[in-house]
Amino acid sequence: MARDCMRIIGGTALSGEVSVSGGKNTSVAAIPATLLADGPCVLENIPDIDDVHALIDILRSLGAQVSFDADRNVMKVDPTTVNTCVVSRENAQRLRASYYLMGALLGRLGEAEVPLPGGCPIGPRPIDQHLKAFRALGAEVDDEGGVVHMKAPELMGSLISFDIVTVGGTINAILAAAKAEGVTLIQNAAREPHVVDVANLINSMGGKVRGAGTAMIRITGQRHLRGTNYAVIPDQIETGTMMIAAAATHGDVTIHNCIPVHMESLTAKLLEVGVRVSAEDDVIRVWDNPRQAHRAVKVTTQAYPGFPTDLQQPFSALLTTASGVSKIEETIFEQRFRHLDELVRMGARVDVRDSVASIEGVPRLIGTSVTVTDLRAGAGLLVAGLMAEGETVILEPHFIDRGYDHVVEKLSGLGARISREVLE
Ligand code: EPZ
């Protein structure tokens, strides 16, 4: 049976310049958000990734007219022809972010029928907080049988106090509240850059969202939101993955079209490891002293502005050859260490107890055949393959296609010996 794979000959220090694409986690919220508009929207800097194509299919299935110029990263959405509030189970299961259709359809039509989402198998990932927000706004919510049915003749502004910090829940609440009657207060809101980006998008449509980026967001509902032309922010996690790959291969890489302030928790950890980082405007440079071994560090994943859980997996690959014992505590997801088994097969020395992984540095990783289990595990195995001695064959690379735009071309441009192949 033919098998898709990525093949890497490791050991090359990455060097040169690379540009980051638009953000996955902001785009997968911005695209559903266009359904709130009374007219056509243009979104720029949209990455050409599988999750974006899944959302294009979903919006078209709802009756919206969507065009996407993947070369120019420009998407046009005309939501005025939307004629149903029903999302198919097949489409909903293709990605986690299909849950944003709940808030967007509730906001546009006052009703939604959306199956529970798919997404990376990194834990149970319930959406109880999203449903709590919709109920607070006055929606009748029935979540039996794996499909969320919601009706809200009139969405009324309210206080939404999240029991935990949730990125998806925060953004979904903003989408549903943007056109609700009156004022909505969101307490214990997520502060991620893409929460701020979606708030800015809604404001560019004539919305009134204040305080995004803090734990308290205030939304004054507007009866009408207009079409807009908006460019989404660069991908924080792709930026971080490139920074980690540069450091892990003892290279010298300059990353363009990024937002350095979004990267501060990773930058601080890379400096602790002994890597050099400089930043100005929309450029970050990461370089290394190849003769100096990386130092082991302790990392705890946290909601923004803490160390992002999405960078835990690629960062763990870098730590496999740091001198000493590193500790990674994963506090956000319950099963986000599955990639470590594959790193052990490459010679890493890892011990996992509950939510803490201890990684004892080894002199080098050795290339072998490894299998991707989720998107950021794939990023971790890419970094490991670039570091390893010899050849690494990465199986199930389709997970990586969900969140990284032209990653093989970008890494090749930095000198990596990497190719996409079909194994017969
Ligand atoms: C978003 O997932 C991202 N996905 C994830 O990125 C990211 O890891 C995560 O935020 C944290 O930053 C998208 O934006 C599409 P959460 P989300 O709600 O919204 C629990 C990637 O690799 N929770 O902040 O699912 C949940 O189980 C992906 O790009 C509830 O219990 O994350 C988790 O343990 C992976 N009830 C924690 O909260 C809820 O109603 C944080 O989840 C919602 C969440």
Side-chain angles (χ1 to χ4, degrees), residues 75-122:
M75 180 179 290
K76 294 178 182 165
V77 179
D78 178 355
T80 58
T81 48
V82 166
N83 52 32
T84 174
C85 73
V86 180
V87 174
S88 73
R89 190 183 294 275
E90 181 201 357
N91 272 336
Q93 287 288 314
R94 291 169 63 182
L95 75 166
R96 171 83 177 160
S98 55
Y99 54 30
Y100 289 135
L101 276 304
M102 296 176 190
L105 287 168
L106 204 54
R108 177 179 188 86
L109 301 174
E111 61 179 330
E113 186 175 316
V114 183
L116 292 176
C120 289
I122 51 179

Side-chain angles (χ1 to χ4, degrees), residues 24-25 28 96-97 99-100 120 122 124-130 164-169 192 194 309-310 332-334 336 375-376:
K24 158 177 124 48
N25 289 342
V28 297
R96 171 83 177 160
Y99 54 30
Y100 289 135
C120 289
I122 51 179
R125 305 185 82 180
I127 60 165
D128 58 297
Q129 298 295 303
H130 300 235
I164 52 166
V165 174
T166 161
V167 170
E192 270 68 5
H194 31 296
T309 175
D310 293 350
I332 308 292
F333 290 108
E334 297 82 353
R336 205 167 197 175
L375 165 58
R376 306 302 175 184

Side-chain angles (χ1 to χ4, degrees), residues 44-349:
E44 297 179 19
N45 206 28
I46 299 293
D48 181 13
I49 55 176
D50 287 0
D51 275 14
V52 163
H53 289 283
L55 283 170
I56 291 170
D57 292 345
I58 292 175
L59 263 62
R60 285 176 176 159
S61 74
L62 296 170
Q65 295 165 76
V66 187
S67 65
F68 181 41
D69 179 338
D71 294 332
R72 293 175 50 243
N73 301 104
V74 176
M75 180 179 290
K76 294 178 182 165
V77 179
D78 178 355
T80 58
T81 48
V82 166
N83 52 32
T84 174
C85 73
V86 180
V87 174
S88 73
R89 190 183 294 275
E90 181 201 357
N91 272 336
Q93 287 288 314
R94 291 169 63 182
L95 75 166
R96 171 83 177 160
S98 55
Y99 54 30
Y100 289 135
L101 276 304
M102 296 176 190
L105 287 168
L106 204 54
R108 177 179 188 86
L109 301 174
E111 61 179 330
E113 186 175 316
V114 183
L116 292 176
C120 289
I122 51 179
R125 305 185 82 180
I127 60 165
D128 58 297
Q129 298 295 303
H130 300 235
L131 304 185
K132 170 179 178 168
F134 299 140
R135 289 189 173 105
L137 294 169
E140 291 160 37
V141 179
D142 167 12
D143 60 330
E144 296 302 313
V147 181
V148 175
H149 298 257
M150 294 192 288
K151 270 193 182 299
E154 183 69 43
L155 286 168
M156 301 301 289
S158 166
L159 169 65
I160 298 168
S161 186
F162 283 123
D163 302 321
I164 52 166
V165 174
T166 161
V167 170
T170 300
I171 293 176
N172 239 338
I174 292 172
L175 297 181
K179 296 180 73 180
E181 181 67 35
V183 175
T184 296
L185 277 180
I186 302 176
Q187 282 181 332
N188 200 20
R191 299 163 54 190
E192 270 68 5
H194 31 296
V195 173
V196 177
D197 207 26
V198 171
N200 291 339
L201 166 64
I202 300 287
N203 289 337
S204 80
M205 295 158 76
K208 201 164 178 193
V209 184
R210 299 294 181 265
T214 74
M216 171 77 84
I217 299 176
R218 178 188 179 87
I219 301 146
T220 306
Q222 308 296 309
R223 293 201 69 74
H224 297 285
L225 295 175
R226 58 178 179 272
T228 186
N229 189 324
Y230 188 82
V232 302
I233 57 172
D235 195 308
Q236 174 200 19
I237 305 305
E238 182 188 17
T239 303
T241 305
M242 289 297 171
M243 291 169 70
I244 293 166
T249 58
H250 304 289
D252 184 344
V253 173
T254 300
I255 301 163
H256 295 271
N257 297 343
C258 63
I259 301 179
V261 73
H262 291 164
M263 309 313 304
E264 285 183 352
S265 58
L266 172 65
T267 297
K269 277 300 159 189
L270 286 174
L271 293 172
E272 261 188 73
V273 160
V275 172
R276 296 187 181 95
V277 183
S278 69
E280 60 176 323
D281 301 333
D282 64 347
V283 181
I284 289 180
R285 181 189 172 206
V286 176
W287 74 106
D288 200 7
N289 171 355
R291 282 176 301 286
Q292 178 191 345
H294 291 156
R295 292 188 290 267
V297 294
K298 186 178 179 319
V299 180
T300 301
T301 62
Q302 298 285 350
Y304 191 85
F307 190 94
T309 175
D310 293 350
L311 288 177
Q312 175 262 103
Q313 292 161 289
F315 196 65
S316 64
L318 177 150
L319 295 177
T320 59
T321 58
S323 58
V325 179
S326 296
K327 299 267 186 192
I328 296 183
E329 184 178 12
E330 172 56 66
T331 69
I332 308 292
F333 290 108
E334 297 82 353
Q335 285 129 34
R336 205 167 197 175
F337 284 145
R338 296 174 65 192
H339 61 296
L340 295 176
D341 295 340
E342 299 300 291
L343 295 180
V344 167
R345 296 181 58 246
M346 297 177 73
R349 220 171 279 153

